[in-house]
C-alpha cells in the first residue's frame, strides 16, 4: 500500500519556467491538499480539493493552479516559476472533508527556483 | 480564524529524559487538535488527535497529549525519549467549518543527545 506518492522528489527550475507536481493516493480518499513548507512558517495550504471535480483556494494560491484529474490524482502547476516559490511541497489526502479527519502526507517535492 | 502557536523552535533533550512540547491554540470553541511528526526528509505522520471526551490522549510511539481548555493548550509529552524521536513536531488545530480547515503551527525541532 503506497499511500500518497509525489513526483518528482527534487526539481531545479529557472525563473519563468513551468512545471507540474504530481500527486496520487491509493486510499480511495475524497479530499486532497497541496501545502508548501518554508522554514519558520509551518505548512501553508495552497489549494485543496474536497471531492473529485472540485477545487478551492487555500491561504497562498497565487502563482499556482491545480487539477483534480480523477479521485486518485491531484496535480499542482507552476505556470511561471519565481524564486519565492522555492519550497518543499507536500500533497496530502483525507477520507472526507469533515473536521477531524486525519491527513496522510506524501514524502514531499523539494523545488529550487533560480 | 483559528491559530496555533508553538513557542519553542528547537529543543534538545538527552536520551531517556522526559519531553514536553508546548502548543497553544486560539479558537472560539473547542477545536479539533492534532500532533504530527516529520522525520528528516519525510512527510508528516499523525501522532495523535483530540476531538472530545477524555482530555488525555494516547498516541503512537509512546506519546500522549493533554487538552487543557483553561490554558488553551495541547502539550505533547513522552516520559522517556529515544534517539529515534529526533524529528520536527507540528501541532495543528482544525475548525469545524465546511471543509476541513487545518492550521499548522510552525513546528518544534527536537534534537536527542546520547
Amino acid at each position: 500500500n503506497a499511500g500518497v506518492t509525489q513526483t518528482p522528489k527534487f526539481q531545479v527550475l529557472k525563473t519563468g519556467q513551468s512545471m507540474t507536481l504530481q500527486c496520487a493516493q491509493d486510499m480511495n480518499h475524497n479530499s486532497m491538499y497541496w501545502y508548501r513548507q518554508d522554514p519558520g512558517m509551518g505548512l501553508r495550504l495552497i489549494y485543496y480539493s474536497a471531492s473529485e471535480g472540485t477545487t478551492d483556494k487555500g491561504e497562498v494560491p497565487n502563482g499556482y493552479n491545480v487539477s483534480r484529474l480523477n479521485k486518485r490524482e491531484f496535480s499542482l502547476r507552476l505556470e511561471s516559476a519565481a524564486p519565492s516559490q522555492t519550497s518543499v511541497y507536500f500533497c496530502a489526502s483525507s477520507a472526507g472533508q469533515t473536521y477531524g479527519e486525519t491527513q496522510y502526507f506524501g514524502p514531499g517535492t523539494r523545488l529550487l527556483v533560480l | 480564524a483559528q491559530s496555533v502557536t508553538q513557542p519553542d523552535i528547537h529543543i534538545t533533550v538527552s536520551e531517556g529524559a522526559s519531553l514536553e512540547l508546548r502548543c497553544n491554540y486560539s479558537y472560539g470553541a473547542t477545536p479539533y487538535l492534532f500532533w504530527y511528526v516529520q522525520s528528516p526528509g519525510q512527510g508528516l505522520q499523525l501522532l495523535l488527535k483530540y476531538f472530545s471526551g477524555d482530555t488525555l490522549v494516547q498516541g503512537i510511539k509512546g506519546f500522549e497529549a493533554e487538552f487543557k481548555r483553561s490554558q488553551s493548550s495541547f502539550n505533547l509529552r513522552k516520559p522517556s525519549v529515544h534517539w529515534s524521536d529526533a524529528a520536527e513536531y507540528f501541532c495543528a488545530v482544525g475548525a469545524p467549518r465546511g471543509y476541513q480547515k487545518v492550521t499548522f503551527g510552525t513546528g518544534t525541532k527536537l534534537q536527542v543527545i546520547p
Side-chain angles (χ1 to χ4, degrees):
Chain A
N1 193 340
V4 179
T5 57
Q6 293 182 235
T7 56
K9 287 185 169 52
F10 304 96
Q11 185 70 48
V12 179
L13 291 178
K14 294 181 180 178
T15 297
Q17 288 185 317
S18 62
M19 79 162 295
T20 299
L21 282 65
Q22 306 286 353
C23 173
Q25 52 89 10
D26 62 3
M27 296 174 281
N28 201 35
H29 283 172
N30 289 307
S31 300
M32 298 184 74
Y33 314 82
W34 277 106
Y35 292 91
R36 60 177 290 172
Q37 183 181 33
D38 302 292
M41 304 196 69
L43 275 75
R44 293 181 291 170
L45 184 65
I46 305 171
Y47 271 93
Y48 69 99
S49 171
S51 61
E52 186 179 358
T54 68
T55 60
D56 285 285
K57 296 178 180 179
E59 299 174 64
V60 289
N62 291 345
Y64 305 94
N65 285 300
V66 291
S67 295
R68 183 74 183 267
L69 303 170
N70 47 56
K71 192 171 185 180
R72 290 186 64 248
E73 299 172 287
F74 189 38
S75 63
L76 179 72
R77 183 160 178 84
L78 286 69
E79 291 290 351
S80 179
S84 61
Q85 294 177 304
T86 292
S87 188
V88 182
Y89 291 85
F90 288 99
C91 178
S93 70
S94 64
Q97 60 176 313
T98 56
Y99 49 89
E101 293 278 2
T102 299
Q103 293 189 22
Y104 295 83
F105 286 80
T109 293
R110 285 147 184 79
L111 176 65
L112 173 62
V113 183
L114 302 174
Chain B
Q2 74 267 28
S3 65
V4 58
T5 301
Q6 294 181 249
D8 303 306
I9 296 172
H10 189 265
I11 283 184
T12 300
V13 299
S14 299
E15 191 169 15
S18 63
L19 172 70
E20 182 168 25
L21 302 182
R22 296 183 291 165
C23 172
N24 293 97
Y25 69 90
S26 173
Y27 183 64
T30 300
Y32 282 60
L33 295 160
F34 308 82
W35 274 102
Y36 284 85
V37 60
Q38 183 181 30
S39 298
Q42 302 296 315
L44 279 71
Q45 179 186 21
L46 182 72
L47 280 176
L48 48 81
K49 57 185 178 182
Y50 172 77
F51 295 157
S52 63
D54 192 346
T55 57
L56 186 63
V57 181
Q58 302 296 322
I60 62 171
K61 305 185 181 188
F63 286 91
E64 66 179 26
E66 187 171 13
F67 170 62
K68 293 186 177 180
R69 184 190 305 273
S70 61
Q71 298 176 20
S72 297
S73 69
F74 189 56
N75 293 350
L76 182 71
R77 301 195 294 249
K78 187 170 185 178
S80 178
V81 169
H82 188 261
W83 64 266
S84 60
D85 294 323
E88 192 158 18
Y89 292 81
F90 292 90
C91 183
V93 56
R97 290 285 185 271
Y99 80 95
Q100 184 197 11
K101 176 169 173 53
V102 175
T103 300
F104 287 84
T106 53
T108 298
K109 190 164 286 188
L110 174 65
Q111 181 182 10
V112 180
I113 56 176

